[in-house]
Structure formats: structure tokens, C-alpha cells
């Protein structure tokens, strides 16, 4: 089955700096890649997603890139703010599939 | 913005007891899911449900587990005889996903923390 690896597991950045989180997946049939942000005591909240027919997608300070050949995708957060502090999860879903396969999560701390 | 709601937020149960976790998916969504996250581990898929039947389930989802949509709004996960290793955070999710929009995002609730004593 699909396996998603996520790095780093923790990331500490200064406010205003950029943060990058990387994920790799194993199943070339995966074609949908969402990113979720989880704050303390809350469930995962979708922040951005990308489909395999697109190489890059941007939404304000957040961008995601996808390299299908290498089977990896990354989340980029620019101009980080303290409210960006949370756990971020990447995930992958296969075409015609149902289940999301999650990475292990990255705990991001933005220091003021 | 519509959201998935889960109750209770925390459930403490004795080992061997039955537990029912409840979810109210977003109202126009057609696909429903349960995931769980054991402390310190990845979020894992348990089961998906569509058109009043299970569409996919993982190896974790054995005979001790069942799901039901008892009415037009609730979606429940039942664990018949809980074990210590069932202690985890359980998340419900739903998605709209029909026709060409089948890969619509899954939206998650805030979870139920299940503690088995």
C-alpha cells in the first residue's frame, strides 16, 4: 500500500522566515495531495491541496509543489507568523481511492 | 462555515465495554470516514462509508468495529469490546465528492479522545 514519509518532524523558525516541509510517497497511482494544519485540541484543518496534473499551487503565504517523477511534494510557508505554529500533516490519496494516507506530521514553532 | 462535529470530546471506558463515538458530517456530504491517531503515531484510516455501506476498510477495522448512519445526520463508530490498544484520538471526516468532483477534500472534526482503562 501507499506509504508517506514526512520531514522534518519538528521545525523551529524565527517569525518572518520561511518554513519548508517535505513529503515523499511510494505509490505512483496517488494523484491528490492535501496538507492539513492541526492546532492543539482541534482536528486537522485543510490548508491547501494539489492534484497531480499541477506542479505548483499558491494561496497567499502558502504554496505547495509536486514532483511526480520523484514522488515528492513540499509545503512552503513564507513570512511565518506565531499563529502558524501548529502540527502540519501531508497526505496522499489514490485515484479512485477513498483513504488518505498521512505522513507523520511536522511540529512547527514560530518564535516571535 | 459548515463543519464536522464529534461527540463526546473525551470518552473514558473500562476495558471490555462497548463504546459509541458520534459524528455529524457536513450536511450535503456523501462520503464519511473514521480515522484514528494513537499518541505519537500517524493518523490511520479505519473505514469509509458511502450510500449506507462500507466502501473500504483497513486491517485495523476488524469485527470489533462497526459503523452506522442511523438517521439522516449522524454517523457512528461502535467498538464492541474495547481493548487497551484502542486508546487513541478518533477523527470523523466527510467529503462532498460526487461525479467529476470525486477528489474533493475531506473535512475533519475535532476528534474524540478515547481512553481505555
Amino acid at each position: 500500500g501507499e506509504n508517506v514519509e514526512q520531514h522534518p518532524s519538528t521545525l523551529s523558525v524565527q517569525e518572518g522566515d520561511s518554513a519548508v516541509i517535505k513529503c515523499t510517497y511510494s505509490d505512483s497511482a496517488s494523484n491528490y495531495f492535501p496538507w492539513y494544519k492541526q492546532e492543539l485540541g482541534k482536528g486537522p484543518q485543510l490548508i491547501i491541496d494539489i492534484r497531480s496534473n499541477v506542479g505548483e499551487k499558491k494561496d497567499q503565504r502558502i504554496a505547495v509543489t509536486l514532483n511526480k517523477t520523484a514522488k515528492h511534494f513540499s509545503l512552503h510557508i513564507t513570512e511565518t507568523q506565531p499563529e502558524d505554529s501548529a502540527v502540519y500533516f501531508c497526505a496522499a490519496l489514490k485515484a479512485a481511492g477513498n483513504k488518505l494516507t498521512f505522513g507523520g506530521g511536522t511540529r512547527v514553532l514560530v518564535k516571535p | 462555515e459548515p463543519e464536522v462535529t464529534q461527540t463526546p470530546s473525551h470518552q473514558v471506558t473500562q476495558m471490555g465495554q462497548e463504546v459509541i463515538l458520534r459524528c455529524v458530517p457536513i450536511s450535503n456530504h456523501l462520503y464519511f470516514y473514521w480515522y484514528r491517531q494513537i499518541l505519537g503515531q500517524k493518523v490511520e484510516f479505519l473505514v469509509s462509508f458511502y450510500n449506507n455501506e462500507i466502501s473500504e476498510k483497513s486491517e485495523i477495522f476488524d469485527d470489533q468495529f462497526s459503523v452506522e448512519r442511523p438517521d439522516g445526520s449522524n454517523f457512528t463508530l461502535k467498538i464492541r469490546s474495547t481493548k487497551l490498544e484502542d486508546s487513541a484520538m478518533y477523527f470523523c471526516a466527510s467529503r462532498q465528492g460526487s461525479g467529476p468532483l470525486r477528489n474533493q477534500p475531506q473535512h475533519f472534526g475535532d476528534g474524540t479522545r478515547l481512553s481505555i482503562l
Side-chain angles (χ1 to χ4, degrees), chain A residues 98, chain B residues 32-33 45-50 53-57:
Chain A
N98 262 304
Chain B
F32 314 117
Y33 306 83
F45 169 80
L46 291 178
V47 66
S48 60
F49 190 86
Y50 169 71
E53 59 184 29
I54 290 172
S55 47
E56 189 172 353
K57 60 183 181 179

Side-chain angles (χ1 to χ4, degrees), chain A residues 2 19 21 25 30 39 50 58 61 72-73 92 98 100-101 104:
Chain A
E2 174 68 284
I21 303 169
Y25 61 99
S30 290
E39 296 174 329
I50 191 166
K58 192 172 179 182
R61 296 185 297 107
H72 65 69
F73 56 113
N98 262 304
L100 287 171
T101 301

Side-chain angles (χ1 to χ4, degrees), chain A:
Chain A
E2 174 68 284
N3 183 47
V4 178
E5 296 295 332
Q6 182 171 348
H7 299 279
S9 56
T10 59
L11 180 59
S12 182
V13 296
Q14 284 297 132
E15 182 178 358
D17 288 350
S18 294
V20 180
I21 303 169
K22 298 183 179 184
C23 287
T24 60
Y25 61 99
S26 61
D27 192 336
S28 55
S30 290
N31 70 342
Y32 173 67
F33 307 92
W35 286 88
Y36 289 87
K37 176 183 181 182
Q38 186 178 25
E39 296 174 329
L40 200 60
K42 299 284 189 182
Q45 299 296 308
L46 179 77
I47 55 171
I48 196 167
D49 57 10
I50 191 166
R51 288 171 173 77
S52 60
N53 59 347
V54 174
E56 184 173 356
K57 184 176 176 181
K58 192 172 179 182
D59 183 3
Q60 299 181 0
R61 296 185 297 107
I62 292 172
V64 57
T65 58
L66 171 66
N67 183 328
K68 283 191 298 183
T69 305
K71 294 207 280 285
H72 65 69
F73 56 113
S74 301
L75 178 73
H76 304 252
I77 307 173
T78 58
E79 300 170 29
T80 52
Q81 300 166 4
E83 52 264 39
D84 295 328
S85 296
V87 179
Y88 291 80
F89 292 98
C90 63
L93 185 143
K94 274 199 283 195
N98 262 304
K99 62 179 186 181
L100 287 171
T101 301
F102 282 84
T106 298
R107 184 174 300 279
V108 173
L109 175 64
V110 180
K111 294 182 285 188

Side-chain angles (χ1 to χ4, degrees), chain B residues 66-82:
Chain B
S66 61
V67 289
E68 193 179 24
R69 189 151 162 85
D71 52 43
S73 59
N74 290 283
F75 178 52
T76 61
L77 174 69
K78 182 194 288 187
I79 310 174
R80 259 178 275 285
S81 178
T82 50

